[in-house]
Amino acid sequence: MKKYIFLIFMALCVGAFADNTPPPSPAPTLTPQYQNIESNLIHLVNMDNPLPAGFKPSDLVLPKVPTRKKSLEDKIYMREEAAEQLEKMFLAASVEKGYTLYAVSGYRSYGIQQINFNTKVQAVGSKEKASSSVMPPGASEHQLGLTMDIQSNNFKNLNADFAKTEEGQWLMENAYRFGFIMRYKTQWKDITRVRFEPWHYRYVGLAHAAALYWLDMPLEKYTGYMEQLPEYVLDGGCDYLLYGLVKEMEVGNYTNVNQLKAAQGNDRDIAMKAATQAYLPKQISYEQALWRCYPTPMPTMAPRVDNDTDISLFSNMN
């Protein structure tokens, strides 16, 4: 009996000191790129991920594109890279189809967005109703300096009917070629909480724009996958790699993702090339895929140096 009581006592003591609670799950960590708003082209901005009130991009410029009103020419700003690609997109629309696109609204500060939102609240009677069409301050992508609202010479309104115009349809089919995505589609409203806006285009870079276009996926969902990739892939992976990795992650296959995470130093270039080649069309090389997404001046041939000895027809003549 004493032995039995002793065993019970020991069990109670062990139980008292044992920690049976499961270990806490590690907090999700973001890559340095995700922590730096200005260096991250796919930084997610919405009502759940607002920008700081004081955030203003450091490289805002005036894109050289048409505006509906001359008074807007010196008031519409974008970040430099986005502005350059916007110029190329507007030029392509003109050259390829004869369309004239207009820039309507680019960068907006936190303060301006606050004024716009308050005005909408007064008009509709509640913040909830207002936020369906005007983002609260901090939640607007316009503050990033990577977004442009676009009209055309033939349709000078910001409403859903822009999608029915030839210019609107051209943008939906071609904007990704220049690094832009149509941010808010009807079928994504439950995720984005924003109505259909076929005039609102967000710059995310050539690689991410093509991947998003092929995936037909809202940025909210896409960034969830991107947060699982190492920074060097986010910075230098081509569209085929990003698309392929997301398709595999969608079905729970993380083999290539884990290999890319494990690579260090010089092995990263080797790992990324190997992973990319699994997704490339046969007619496109790895180098071609990279150049499409991260264009740089094409290398020029070095001058030919003739090391042969000159021979004269008269050299043997006395």
Side-chain angles (χ1 to χ4, degrees):
M1 184 67 179
K2 290 182 179 180
K3 182 178 180 181
Y4 179 69
I5 294 174
F6 176 77
L7 290 174
I8 294 175
F9 174 77
M10 290 299 295
L12 290 172
C13 289
V14 171
F17 290 100
D19 183 2
N20 294 320
T21 59
S25 300
T29 57
L30 300 180
T31 63
Q33 188 195 50
Y34 266 85
Q35 296 170 3
N36 188 332
I37 299 172
E38 288 209 51
S39 70
N40 179 14
L41 289 178
I42 57 171
H43 184 83
L44 181 63
V45 176
N46 56 26
M47 285 184 276
D48 297 321
N49 302 279
L51 289 166
F55 173 74
K56 179 180 180 180
S58 60
D59 59 343
L60 292 172
V61 298
L62 288 167
K64 300 179 179 65
V65 295
T67 59
R68 192 182 73 178
K69 299 178 181 178
K70 190 169 182 63
S71 60
L72 294 175
E73 289 180 355
D74 61 350
K75 293 180 173 63
I76 298 178
Y77 288 84
M78 290 191 84
R79 287 180 56 186
E80 187 172 9
E81 181 180 335
E84 290 175 357
Q85 292 300 119
L86 187 79
E87 292 168 5
K88 292 178 182 179
M89 183 165 71
F90 277 38
L91 179 60
S94 176
V95 172
E96 295 175 12
K97 291 292 186 178
Y99 299 149
T100 298
L101 300 178
Y102 289 145
V104 179
S105 181
Y107 167 75
R108 289 202 295 266
S109 69
Y110 186 98
I112 292 298
Q113 193 66 28
Q114 178 77 72
I115 293 171
N116 292 346
F117 184 69
N118 289 347
T119 301
K120 191 66 176 180
V121 171
Q122 291 176 358
V124 300
S126 74
K127 291 183 178 180
E128 184 178 356
K129 289 181 180 179
S131 63
S132 67
S133 57
V134 178
M135 287 289 99
S140 171
E141 289 192 323
H142 284 276
Q143 191 183 344
L144 270 178
L146 295 174
T147 296
M148 184 62 69
D149 291 339
I150 300 174
Q151 295 174 341
S152 74
N153 186 45
N154 296 320
F155 194 87
K156 299 181 178 68
N157 297 303
L158 295 181
N159 64 46
D161 286 339
F162 182 58
K164 301 176 183 178
T165 67
E166 292 182 0
E167 294 89 342
Q169 291 173 11
W170 185 89
L171 279 171
M172 285 189 284
E173 295 169 2
N174 292 277
Y176 78 93
R177 295 164 45 197
F178 308 93
F180 288 87
I181 58 170
M182 189 173 73
R183 182 69 172 88
Y184 304 116
K185 292 187 176 182
T186 302
Q187 62 268 34
W188 299 341
K189 186 177 179 181
D190 290 343
I191 298 174
T192 65
R193 290 188 284 169
V194 178
R195 62 179 183 172
F196 181 42
E197 293 191 357
W199 62 86
H200 180 111
Y201 280 84
R202 160 76 187 272
Y203 183 75
V204 293
L206 296 173
H208 293 292
L212 278 159
Y213 178 76
W214 297 334
L215 291 164
D216 194 21
M217 177 183 291
L219 193 59
E220 280 79 0
K221 188 175 180 180
Y222 182 76
T223 52
Y225 289 114
M226 291 299 103
E227 288 176 4
Q228 301 177 65
L229 300 180
E231 184 177 357
Y232 76 94
V233 175
L234 294 177
D235 284 340
C238 74
D239 44 11
Y240 291 108
L241 175 63
L242 298 170
Y243 170 80
L245 291 174
V246 170
K247 294 300 289 185
E248 289 187 345
M249 285 189 280
E250 283 187 305
V251 296
N253 183 354
Y254 282 76
T255 301
N256 283 328
V257 172
N258 292 333
Q259 289 176 350
L260 289 166
K261 284 183 176 179
Q264 298 294 325
N266 294 333
D267 291 339
R268 289 177 169 180
D269 289 337
I270 298 172
M272 190 155 68
K273 182 174 183 178
T276 304
Q277 287 175 329
Y279 310 119
L280 289 177
K282 291 182 179 179
Q283 69 274 19
I284 296 180
S285 70
Y286 176 66
E287 290 72 22
Q288 288 173 323
L290 280 184
W291 188 83
R292 285 172 55 256
C293 296
Y294 308 99
T296 55
M298 292 292 285
T300 57
M301 297 292 291
R304 183 178 182 274
V305 178
D306 190 351
N307 293 320
D308 294 337
T309 303
D310 289 338
I311 299 176
S312 172
L313 292 173
F314 307 100
S315 60
N316 293 327
M317 295 182 66
N318 294 326

